[in-house]
Amino acid sequence: MAGLSPGQKTGDDRVVLDVSKLNQSFDPNQSMSRPEVKLLYVNISHLPSVVQFTLLTVAAFGFYLVYGYIQELIFRLEGFRPFGWYLTLVQFAFYTIFGLVELQFKEDKTRRIPLKMYLILAFLTVATMGLSNTSVGYLNYPTQVIFKCCKLIPVMLGGVIIQRKHYSCIDVAAVLCMCLGLILFTLADSSVSPSFNTFGVILISLALCADGAIGNVQEKALKQYNSSNSEMVLYSYSIGFVYILIGLIVSQSILPAYEFCKDYPKETYGYAVIFSVFGYLGVNVVLSLVKTFGALIAVTVTTCRKAVTIILSFMFFTKPFTYQYIWSGMIVTVGIYLNVYSSTKLELKAIFILINTTAQPMMQIGGHGSQLES
């Protein structure tokens, strides 16, 4: 047998297989390998997927709950309402500084994502955060948050348009529940809140559309170019800073905002530092969720976090209340539940397919075991 080559027939018509070659071509560990997963600067790739998801989710909740509280606190300052874009400029400046500092500790400083894509990402980031920050000055904070809870709607539309994804009937039902709950919540807010403003609804709706697009573009870029979170944050927010600065200079809004904030340094710049630190950490965690579990799962996590933010907002800040908030919020919650249920089914199906694909070659080896020759 020593002189026979792999695949050559013997005298009794049995096929000789080279087991070493077979073992090289089939490596279960390689097929099931996953990209590196980090919680900020700690590598958690060695942990089970469920533990990774739990840690990232808890971190996202923690950072963004503080972020939301400080954001509302800043806009409680009388007279600050027109300066939402200036707050976003300061926030982007801090994000850029944090990104530059973080980059100094990385061995690989090469930019992987093309600059053209960063120009698009920066525009979407500016639209998302700038319009969202500005809308807080015109809307009851829970209304602004409930709109952001329905980010799944533009994310799904963006997934269909940008990534050619297909969604199930359950996902569509989740979107319909969110739309209905959103309409009822807005109607309730317009009837009881003296601060309700239609312009604010337009602002947060536009922010929602940009938010839906950015998650899909980020997911596509991170996976296609295998970029780091710090790289994406640095370039997206530094280019976005330039966009906002040009816009404020052209609209002649930067000097009035600067003069106002100069008189209240603690309530503006002081809170903005805390706001930006927790926001930056939250962005990094969410990007890890997007890169590891996909944009839809990441949106589900941040949406659930926003629901908790609404409750805390009513607890910590005095504002008008009606029981219609509860009913409409429950309808949105049903939509979130349907979305989570659909995502869980897809995850289980993917695991089953992976196990089946892994086991099939092994079964074929076992079936031909009697024909293997040493």
Side-chain angles (χ1 to χ4, degrees), residues 138-177:
Y138 297 90
L139 290 175
N140 196 357
Y141 188 74
T143 304
Q144 189 250 19
V145 174
I146 202 74
F147 263 87
K148 294 175 75 174
C149 281
C150 297
K151 187 166 70 171
L152 172 66
I153 300 169
V155 165
M156 284 181 59
L157 292 175
V160 172
I161 297 169
I162 298 172
Q163 301 195 67
R164 308 298 183 193
K165 289 185 175 181
H166 298 280
Y167 296 100
S168 66
C169 294
I170 299 177
D171 289 321
V172 175
V175 166
L176 293 176
C177 285

Side-chain angles (χ1 to χ4, degrees), residues 241-309:
F241 174 84
V242 176
Y243 285 167
I244 300 172
L245 183 62
I246 293 172
L248 289 175
I249 292 173
V250 170
S251 64
Q252 298 182 346
S253 303
I254 192 166
L255 285 179
Y258 172 76
E259 291 296 331
F260 179 87
C261 293
K262 185 177 66 174
D263 296 332
Y264 304 94
K266 176 186 173 183
E267 293 83 356
T268 55
Y269 296 115
Y271 289 159
V273 173
I274 305 172
F275 175 68
S276 300
V277 167
F278 282 91
Y280 182 82
L281 296 174
V283 166
N284 272 278
V285 173
V286 170
L287 283 175
S288 292
L289 276 168
V290 170
K291 191 173 184 180
T292 310
F293 298 99
L296 195 63
I297 298 293
V299 167
T300 303
V301 171
T302 55
T303 299
C304 293
R305 184 272 307 173
K306 292 182 182 78
V308 178
T309 302

Side-chain angles (χ1 to χ4, degrees), residues 117-350:
M117 182 163 283
Y118 273 127
L119 293 174
I120 299 172
L121 275 169
F123 176 80
L124 292 173
T125 305
V126 167
T128 299
M129 300 185 67
L131 293 170
S132 180
N133 285 342
T134 306
S135 70
V136 178
Y138 297 90
L139 290 175
N140 196 357
Y141 188 74
T143 304
Q144 189 250 19
V145 174
I146 202 74
F147 263 87
K148 294 175 75 174
C149 281
C150 297
K151 187 166 70 171
L152 172 66
I153 300 169
V155 165
M156 284 181 59
L157 292 175
V160 172
I161 297 169
I162 298 172
Q163 301 195 67
R164 308 298 183 193
K165 289 185 175 181
H166 298 280
Y167 296 100
S168 66
C169 294
I170 299 177
D171 289 321
V172 175
V175 166
L176 293 176
C177 285
M178 289 184 178
C179 289
L180 178 60
L182 192 61
I183 292 169
L184 293 175
F185 200 97
T186 305
L187 290 174
D189 193 44
S190 63
S191 64
V192 301
S193 177
S195 62
F196 181 83
N197 190 303
T198 306
F199 181 61
V201 173
I202 295 172
L203 289 176
I204 194 60
S205 298
L206 292 174
L208 201 63
C209 293
D211 216 1
I214 194 172
N216 287 284
V217 176
Q218 285 175 336
E219 180 181 355
K220 186 175 181 180
L222 284 168
K223 291 181 177 178
Q224 182 176 349
Y225 298 101
N226 195 26
S227 167
S228 65
N229 295 348
S230 55
E231 178 199 321
M232 177 163 285
V233 171
L234 172 61
Y235 285 95
S236 297
Y237 287 95
S238 59
I239 296 172
F241 174 84
V242 176
Y243 285 167
I244 300 172
L245 183 62
I246 293 172
L248 289 175
I249 292 173
V250 170
S251 64
Q252 298 182 346
S253 303
I254 192 166
L255 285 179
Y258 172 76
E259 291 296 331
F260 179 87
C261 293
K262 185 177 66 174
D263 296 332
Y264 304 94
K266 176 186 173 183
E267 293 83 356
T268 55
Y269 296 115
Y271 289 159
V273 173
I274 305 172
F275 175 68
S276 300
V277 167
F278 282 91
Y280 182 82
L281 296 174
V283 166
N284 272 278
V285 173
V286 170
L287 283 175
S288 292
L289 276 168
V290 170
K291 191 173 184 180
T292 310
F293 298 99
L296 195 63
I297 298 293
V299 167
T300 303
V301 171
T302 55
T303 299
C304 293
R305 184 272 307 173
K306 292 182 182 78
V308 178
T309 302
I310 293 174
I311 298 171
L312 293 178
S313 178
F314 278 110
M315 289 173 58
F316 290 119
F317 299 100
T318 304
K319 49 177 62 69
F321 178 78
T322 173
Y323 283 103
Q324 192 172 334
Y325 282 148
I326 297 177
W327 297 116
S328 54
M330 286 176 66
I331 294 174
V332 173
T333 303
V334 170
I336 296 171
Y337 171 77
L338 290 173
N339 171 234
V340 173
Y341 174 74
S342 175
S343 301
T344 304
K345 282 184 64 178
L346 288 174
E347 183 75 16
L348 291 173
K349 184 178 179 181

